[in-house]
């Protein structure tokens, strides 16, 4: 045999043997996977360690304060509820409407293609850029100021792409036979979609909506970019009020060097994560429902 | 550990596996004994017993879902890669149980090659498709020669010799399947398993592969699953006929020389299936 | 129907809106500041009396932090995806994937907190002896962790799209799991994996809260990861959270920086789409 001159790597692999290099790699891959899970565990541990202690009724029902031990998240929590409620009012009909149009009615032409490419590109635009858009268009252009509506409108644009993509997947999972069955009974396309397809695809569509809402709740940068306040000492009462939200409140505490404020930040994070957890358990329940329905 | 591996590799490529008729033409290269194969709790085949003769073509026929694919995938321990895949019973290769704890399935598969229903060339060049198997098995000889040799054996050399660097995906379906055969024989296996190798091909490509199978049995032992009765009759020396039972589990109805099976089967079911009176 | 159509068209309007808004403020900015000086200047002093708008310190900070984050996220994410798609038994996959989804769903302001309260004081400072807890390195480590799930899930999708026949073909030739994964599946999924990396890089460039909280916010061209730095997004945060009046050069400057961000991320996204298209062509 005229063996080629052995290379270093070839030599090592031959020495280690096929089996050993395989085990080494498996170990590496398992460690990498474990690393991600470990990071999550450490992160949650650190947050819980620093934050659980301070999360009491007082913290939930107080306004921010110069003294860390008096400070609370009342304004931020209410602000989050206001902004999210209004955001839902905007993005749900628009997102689901766009999904229905694209999935059920749109003709396959260049314009539809343009819209689709555009949606997937928009999903990659940094959120802070949406904040600049909101600042120029809603805050100044429409003279809404740094208000709850302006924030909701900005967040709506931000989460529309994810909503549309997820809702379309939901609609697509409804078998075509369902539309045909309805239309064979004399229903118009519109009736078929409204009475058959939408209800059937609803769990998946709802899951997409919750996903988008979860994203919106955690967003900080676009709201700061559009001038949201960091310290608010009242509970908003109308959509045109100024506001703050939980992540911004957390940010303003993280940015202060006093250790007490770091603990406030951690407690605020626990509150934020609990809100997200509640939201996600709804999503999980829906997904479960959906999986059961599909297996029938 | 290292020395054993190296010795095996050298043995494998320096001296050709002993495929000669010295053990007598009736010698069994493989044998299946009381084989049950499961997917999770579902038993896909029940109590199959059959030999596979050296330097012969053994055909496996039977209706869809009777477990033909499952059976051949047990022979090179590919079955255990399926979800929930496990077996009971014995499979002997050169007289040794392939499921014994000391047998490395990876090494086993380099001695029992396999060709699949759908041609599955790697998305690499024609040359590298063949070289891949050689490299992962530690081949140290002249790669170009080895590639040419196996392409010649697979009757593909003349068609591809000027385009070895092209993507294998640019070949026609029949050429791709012959490339897969070349890829399998490049690493000098003793047995080649073929699971409906022609079902995705047109009649002319099918005939080319059948010719190839007849040539290859000079050097290798071949097990071929086929849906096509004429094909079984044309290429095989021995045939196993499987049926699927009440419990959806496949079982062996009859195993015999192909000639006997197609002229004078012992079972009524076999005759019904072969003559097409099968419901 | 018309309403549905308008909903769909809104996305195009949004894109147009972004471009118009960014240009509307960036163009006046470039009448004050020479675009060439902007792109090559090494001094970024927008808020002092003798203003200077050389964006290199911000650009280099963004590039450095994003690349260091990718150096963490890409190998770990790729190995994770290989493990999940080629090695893991289904019960592990079913457990790890939701955990990674949770990691991906955690708001980035929390990662910023994580740097300040854990990564910087217990990892970066003791090991690398940085002078402050606000370092580019600390921010990029957290960003790397944040991006792992994204790289892992996108590349896993790509690997799962590789037809099973290729794996079986390789196993049947006597390849072991390592060889099947690294020599067959990864090369076959390569364009999808490259796309995953590009999308994650775009995300890293646009990521705002981690760098704002954890990287220190001082324009710095030193290239030393153990010093504080200000990334492009962090500068936008700084100006926006202050009370800068509309129409001033500082106000316009955040739109100029925003435009650069938009161009970079858009470019990366388009290249990634191209790779994804190529991947789909191969396997669908
Ligand atoms: N991965 C799997 N998991 C569970 N059951 C399987 C799996 N693969 C095959 N089966 C079942 O095992 C039985 C035998 O399947 P197999 O593929 O071996 O049949 P076959 O004879 O090759 O059929 P065909 O002629 O259609 O290829 C069938 O009932 C099939 O549904
Ligand atoms: Mg089969």
């Amino acid at each position: 045999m005229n063996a080629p001159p052995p290379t270093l790597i070839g030599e090592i692999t031959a020495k280690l043997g096929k089996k050993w290099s395989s085990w080494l790699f498996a170990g590496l891959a398992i460690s990498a996977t474990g690393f991600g899970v470990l990071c999550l565990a450490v992160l949650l541990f650190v947050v819980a360690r620093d934050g659980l202690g301070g999360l009491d009724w007082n913290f939930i029902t107080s306004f921010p304060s110069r003294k860390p031990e008096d400070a609370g998240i009342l304004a931020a929590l209410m602000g989050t509820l206001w902004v999210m409620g209004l955001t839902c009012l905007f993005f749900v009909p628009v997102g689901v409407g766009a999904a229905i149009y694209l999935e059920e009615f749109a003709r396959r032409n260049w314009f539809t293609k343009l819209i689709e490419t555009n949606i997937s590109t928009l999903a990659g635009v940094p959120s802070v850029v949406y904040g600049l858009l909101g600042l120029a268009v809603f805050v100044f252009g429409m003279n809404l100021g740094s208000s709850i509506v302006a924030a909701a409108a900005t967040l709506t644009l931000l989460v529309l792409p994810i909503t549309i993509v997820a809702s379309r997947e939901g609609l697509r999972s409804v078998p075509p036979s369902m539309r045909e069955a309805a239309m064979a009974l004399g229903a118009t396309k519109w009736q078929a979609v409204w009475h058959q397809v939408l209800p059937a695809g609803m769990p998946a569509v709802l899951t997409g909506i919750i996903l988008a809402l979860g994203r919106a709740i955690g967003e900080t940068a676009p709201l700061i970019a559009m001038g949201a306040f960091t310290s608010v000492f009242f509970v908003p009462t109308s959509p045109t009020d100024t506001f703050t939200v939980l992540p911004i409140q957390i940010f303003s505490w993280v940015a202060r060097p006093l250790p007490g404020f770091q603990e406030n930040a951690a407690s605020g994070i626990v509150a934020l994560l609990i809100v997200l957890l509640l939201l996600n358990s709804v999503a999980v329940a829906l997904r479960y429902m959906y999986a059961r329905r599909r297996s029938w | 550990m290292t020395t054993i591996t190296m010795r095996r590799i050298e043995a494998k490529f320096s001296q050709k596996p002993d495929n000669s008729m010295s053990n007598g033409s009736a010698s069994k290269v493989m044998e299946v004994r009381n084989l049950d194969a499961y997917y999770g709790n579902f038993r896909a085949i029940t109590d199959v017993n059959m030999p596979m003769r050296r330097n012969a073509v053994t055909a496996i026929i039977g209706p869809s879902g009777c477990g033909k694919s499952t059976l051949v995938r047990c022979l090179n321990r590919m079955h255990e890669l399926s979800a929930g895949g496990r077996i009971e019973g014995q499979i002997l290769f050169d007289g040794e149980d392939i499921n014994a704890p000391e047998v490395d399935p990876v090494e086993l598969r380099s001695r029992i090659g396999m060709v699949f229903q759908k041609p599955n060339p790697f998305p690499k060049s024609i040359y590298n498709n063949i070289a891949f198997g050689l490299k992962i098995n530690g081949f140290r000889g002249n790669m170009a020669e080895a590639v040419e040799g196996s392409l010649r054996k697979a009757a593909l050399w003349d068609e591809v010799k000027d385009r070895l660097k092209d993507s294998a995906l640019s070949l026609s379906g029949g050429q791709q399947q012959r490339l897969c055969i070349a890829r399998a024989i490049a690493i000098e296996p003793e047995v080649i398993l073929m699971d409906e190798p022609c079902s995705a091909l047109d009649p002319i490509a099918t005939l080319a592969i059948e010719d190839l199978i007849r040539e290859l049995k000079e050097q290798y032992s071949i097990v071929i699953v086929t849906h096509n009765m004429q094909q079984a009759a044309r290429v095989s020396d021995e045939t196993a006929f499987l049926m699927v039972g009440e419990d959806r589990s496949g079982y062996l109805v009859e195993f015999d020389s192909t000639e006997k099976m197609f002229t004078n089967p012992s079972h009524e079911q076999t005759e019904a299936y072969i003559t097409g009176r099968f419901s | 129907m018309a309403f549905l159509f308008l909903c769909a068209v809104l996305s195009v309007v949004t894109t147009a809106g972004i471009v118009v808004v960014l240009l509307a403020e960036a163009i006046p900015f470039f009448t004050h500041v020479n675009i060439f000086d902007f792109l090559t200047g090494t001094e970024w002093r927008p808020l002092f009396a003798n203003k200077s708008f050389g964006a290199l310190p911000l650009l280099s900070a963004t590039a450095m932090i994003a690349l260091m984050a990718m150096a963490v996220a890409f190998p770990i994410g790729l190995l994770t995806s290989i493990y999940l798609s080629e090695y893991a038994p289904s019960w592990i996959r079913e457990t790890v994937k939701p955990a990674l989804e949770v990691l991906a769903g955690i708001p980035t302001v929390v990662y910023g907190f994580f740097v300040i309260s854990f990564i910087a004081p217990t990892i970066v400072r003791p090991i690398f002896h940085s002078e402050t807890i606000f370092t580019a390195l600390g921010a990029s480590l957290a960003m790397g962790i944040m991006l792992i799930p994204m790289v892992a899930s996108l590349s896993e999708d790509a690997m799962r799209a590789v037809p099973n026949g290729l794996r079986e073909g390789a196993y049947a030739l006597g390849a072991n799991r390592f060889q099947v994964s690294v020599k067959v599946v990864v090369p076959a999924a390569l364009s999808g994996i490259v796309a995953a990396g590009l999308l994650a890089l775009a995300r890293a460039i646009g990521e705002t809260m981690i760098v704002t909280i954890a990287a220190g916010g001082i324009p710095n061209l030193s290239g030393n990861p153990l010093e504080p730095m200000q990334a492009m997004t962090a500068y936008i945060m700084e100006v926006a959270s202050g009370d800068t009046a509309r129409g001033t050069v500082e106000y316009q400057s955040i739109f100029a920086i925003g435009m650069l961000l938009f161009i970079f991320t858009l470019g990366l996204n388009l290249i990634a789409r191209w790779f994804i298209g190529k991947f789909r062509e191969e396997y669908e």
Side-chain angles (χ1 to χ4, degrees):
Chain A
M1 261 199 265
N2 53 342
T7 61
L8 182 62
I9 292 185
E11 198 80 8
I12 291 171
T13 1
K15 277 230 175 73
L16 281 175
K18 191 164 150 182
K19 229 181 196 153
W20 286 99
S21 53
S22 176
W23 284 347
L24 198 73
F25 181 77
L28 216 62
I30 290 178
S31 320
T33 310
F35 179 78
V37 178
L38 180 74
C39 285
L40 175 65
V42 173
L43 191 152
L44 293 180
F45 169 76
V46 169
V47 168
R49 181 195 64 191
D50 296 356
L52 271 184
L55 186 68
D56 51 19
W57 188 244
N58 216 4
F59 183 70
I60 297 174
T61 54
S62 301
F63 289 112
S65 160
R66 254 181 295 121
K67 281 184 279 174
E69 57 279 11
D70 294 343
I73 52 169
L74 182 60
L77 200 57
M78 290 303 148
T80 289
L81 289 181
W82 264 98
V83 173
M84 288 312 130
L86 210 58
T87 306
C88 271
L89 227 53
F90 293 162
F91 87 83
V92 170
V94 177
V96 177
I100 292 178
Y101 174 76
L102 290 173
E103 198 57 36
E104 306 287 338
F105 294 102
R107 262 183 241 125
R108 307 275 98 208
N109 56 19
W110 66 270
F111 191 68
T112 309
K113 240 188 132 193
L114 172 76
I115 295 179
E116 285 174 343
T117 324
N118 188 60
I119 288 171
S120 62
T121 323
L122 272 181
V125 172
S127 59
V128 65
V129 172
Y130 283 95
L132 294 179
L133 177 69
L135 179 65
V137 173
F138 302 124
V139 176
F140 291 130
M142 298 186 177
N143 229 341
L144 295 170
S146 299
S147 62
I148 293 172
V149 245
T154 308
L155 289 178
T156 295
L157 297 183
L158 174 70
V159 298
L160 264 184
I162 351 177
T163 318
I164 297 175
V165 170
S167 307
R168 284 189 72 179
E169 264 163 32
L171 296 176
R172 206 171 306 148
S173 66
V174 178
S177 59
M178 209 145 183
R179 301 173 179 82
E180 285 154 15
M183 276 152 71
L185 292 174
T188 60
K189 177 95 199 225
W190 174 242
Q191 285 168 322
V193 169
W194 187 250
H195 294 289
Q196 300 299 328
V197 179
L198 200 53
M202 203 37 116
V205 172
L206 280 177
T207 310
I209 289 172
I210 290 176
L211 206 84
L213 197 59
R215 169 89 192 273
I217 288 184
E219 279 298 345
T220 324
L223 299 184
I224 295 181
M226 48 155 287
F229 289 81
T230 47
S231 302
V232 173
F233 297 90
F234 58 90
V235 170
T237 51
S238 101
T240 49
D241 283 350
T242 54
F243 70 99
T244 193
V245 289
L246 269 176
I248 296 182
Q249 184 66 68
I250 294 165
F251 168 62
S252 80
W253 279 328
V254 170
R256 296 204 205 178
L258 266 186
F261 285 118
Q262 293 302 315
E263 273 157 38
N264 284 348
S267 302
I269 290 173
V270 175
L272 179 62
L273 293 184
I274 288 176
V275 173
L276 280 172
L277 189 72
L278 289 177
L279 203 64
N280 275 298
S281 32
V282 177
V284 170
L286 283 171
R287 237 188 276 182
Y288 178 71
M289 238 172 74
Y290 181 55
R292 279 213 353 208
R293 177 118 57 112
R294 254 217 299 223
S295 66
W296 284 346
Chain B
M1 149 84 218
T2 313
T3 47
I4 296 172
T5 315
M6 295 309 292
R7 211 181 306 134
R8 186 186 79 72
I9 290 167
E10 273 162 27
K12 197 160 148 49
F13 287 108
S14 50
Q15 71 203 64
K16 293 269 150 59
D18 182 16
N19 285 338
S20 67
M21 299 283 206
S22 59
N23 300 359
S25 60
S27 86
K28 291 178 276 193
V29 63
M30 297 192 80
E31 182 170 9
V32 175
R33 286 187 188 163
N34 307 94
L35 181 72
D36 294 349
Y38 293 84
Y39 291 99
N41 289 326
F42 171 60
R43 184 163 63 193
I45 53 181
T46 307
D47 198 27
V48 171
N49 286 280
M50 62 184 280
M52 281 129 213
R53 206 147 52 75
R54 203 178 287 280
N55 295 94
V57 177
T58 307
I60 300 175
I61 60 172
S64 188
C66 69
K68 305 180 294 292
S69 299
T70 307
L71 176 58
V72 287
R73 289 167 62 88
C74 289
L75 300 181
N76 66 348
R77 292 186 58 178
M78 291 285 282
H79 178 60
E80 67 196 33
L81 297 174
S82 313
R86 66 192 167 84
I87 69 151
E88 282 166 16
Q90 265 192 325
I91 297 169
L92 304 183
F93 174 45
D94 288 337
E96 285 170 45
D97 185 353
I98 63 169
N99 291 294
E102 66 272 16
V103 173
D104 177 5
V106 170
E107 189 196 321
L108 178 80
R109 292 184 200 120
S110 69
R111 299 173 59 192
I112 304 180
M114 188 164 198
V115 176
F116 297 82
Q117 179 165 358
K118 247 183 84 191
N120 56 352
F122 303 123
K124 306 173 189 257
S125 69
I126 295 170
Y127 182 92
N128 279 329
N129 258 274
I130 314 273
F132 174 82
L134 291 165
K135 278 186 202 147
I136 60 169
N137 284 292
F139 180 71
R140 293 286 195 88
N142 185 330
M143 188 64 80
E145 245 168 47
V147 170
E148 177 177 346
S150 45
L151 284 170
R152 278 192 193 283
K153 280 193 204 162
L156 190 59
W157 175 251
D158 290 332
E159 289 158 70
V160 302
K161 63 178 179 228
D162 301 323
R163 44 188 286 212
L164 291 174
K165 294 274 168 284
D166 288 8
S167 165
L169 301 176
S170 67
L171 296 173
S172 74
Q175 289 172 327
Q176 288 188 5
Q177 196 62 304
R178 274 179 285 150
L179 180 67
C180 291
I181 294 176
R183 187 172 79 180
I185 58 187
I187 56 172
E188 302 283 356
E190 291 170 53
V191 180
I192 303 174
L193 310 173
M194 300 184 171
D195 188 356
E196 303 190 36
C198 303
S199 64
L201 306 181
D202 65 47
I204 292 176
T206 300
L207 288 180
I209 302 245
E210 287 179 11
D211 286 341
L212 181 57
I213 290 172
R214 274 188 291 269
E215 269 169 43
L216 289 175
K217 80 172 181 185
E218 304 289 320
Q219 281 186 50
Y220 308 96
S221 313
I222 294 171
V223 179
I224 178 171
V225 172
T226 175
H227 255 129
N228 179 330
M229 240 39 67
Q230 282 76 35
Q231 183 170 66
R234 281 195 300 261
V235 301
S236 72
D237 302 295
E238 262 145 12
T239 301
F241 170 52
L242 270 62
M243 272 286 287
V244 49
E246 299 281 286
D247 55 353
R248 282 179 56 228
S249 188
Y251 62 96
L252 181 71
V253 175
E254 188 168 351
F255 175 87
D256 216 325
S257 81
T258 302
E259 205 182 329
K260 167 121 191 317
M261 194 87 127
F262 279 82
T263 53
N264 183 18
S266 321
H267 289 256
E268 215 170 292
Q269 284 173 315
T270 316
E271 185 172 2
Y273 184 72
I274 288 172
T275 55
R277 281 191 288 110
F278 176 81
S279 52
Chain C
M1 258 312 284
F3 169 72
L4 297 185
F5 179 70
L6 286 180
C7 292
V9 168
L10 182 60
S11 80
V12 181
V13 176
T14 307
T15 310
I18 290 174
V19 173
V20 169
V21 161
L22 292 178
L23 281 178
E25 300 290 343
I27 289 174
F29 175 77
F30 288 121
T31 60
H32 294 290
V33 179
N34 180 316
I35 190 162
F36 187 75
D37 294 343
F38 175 71
L39 290 175
T40 60
T42 57
E43 297 275 338
W44 185 261
R45 277 189 325 262
L47 305 177
F48 293 108
N50 60 335
K51 292 188 195 319
S52 164
F53 290 96
L56 271 189
L58 304 189
L59 288 169
S60 84
T62 290
M64 225 176 104
I65 294 173
L67 289 177
M68 286 195 299
M70 286 307 290
V72 174
F74 191 72
I76 294 180
L78 182 58
L79 281 169
T80 301
S81 65
I82 293 175
Y83 177 72
L84 289 179
S85 121
E86 305 300 314
Y87 281 80
S90 63
W91 68 270
I92 290 191
R93 191 166 40 236
E94 308 290 296
T95 331
V96 170
K97 285 188 78 169
L100 291 181
E101 264 173 50
V102 173
L103 197 61
I106 287 180
T108 53
V109 65
V110 179
Y111 282 95
F113 167 82
F114 190 50
V115 182
I116 303 289
S117 62
F118 182 78
I119 294 182
T122 55
I123 297 177
V124 176
R125 197 127 73 157
I127 297 180
F128 300 99
H129 307 290
S130 62
E131 276 172 32
T132 141
I133 61 166
F134 301 103
T135 62
L137 182 65
S140 51
L141 287 179
M143 198 188 279
I145 294 171
M146 179 198 84
L147 294 172
I148 289 173
M150 185 175 179
V151 175
S153 104
L154 290 173
S155 10
E156 199 211 341
D157 288 348
M159 291 197 245
R160 302 204 128 220
V162 171
N164 223 4
L166 291 186
R167 290 185 184 86
E168 300 215 309
Y171 279 123
L173 288 171
N176 58 28
R177 230 172 249 281
F178 165 63
Q179 292 165 323
V180 171
S181 311
V182 172
K183 299 190 175 159
V184 175
V185 178
V186 169
L190 197 60
S191 36
I193 294 171
V194 171
L198 291 173
L199 289 173
L201 182 62
R203 177 84 193 277
I205 290 174
E207 172 43 44
T208 308
M209 292 323 288
I210 297 177
V211 287
T212 305
I213 295 172
I218 301 169
N220 177 349
L221 192 53
S222 74
N224 180 350
L226 296 177
E227 289 176 9
M229 288 187 185
Q230 186 169 49
M232 297 158 74
T233 49
Y235 171 70
I236 298 179
M237 285 294 98
E238 187 191 347
V239 173
S241 60
D243 38 20
T244 307
R246 199 178 165 203
T248 59
V249 191
E250 297 94 278
Y251 176 83
Q252 291 164 350
S253 72
I254 61 176
F255 287 85
I257 293 289
M259 192 161 78
L260 281 187
L261 274 179
F262 182 69
I263 292 171
F264 291 157
T265 51
L266 184 72
L268 284 170
N269 270 281
L270 291 179
I271 302 172
R273 301 269 150 236
W274 181 80
F275 274 107
I276 290 172
K278 209 174 108 168
F279 183 67
R280 291 230 174 100
E281 229 169 69
E282 279 164 34
Y283 295 110
E284 277 165 21

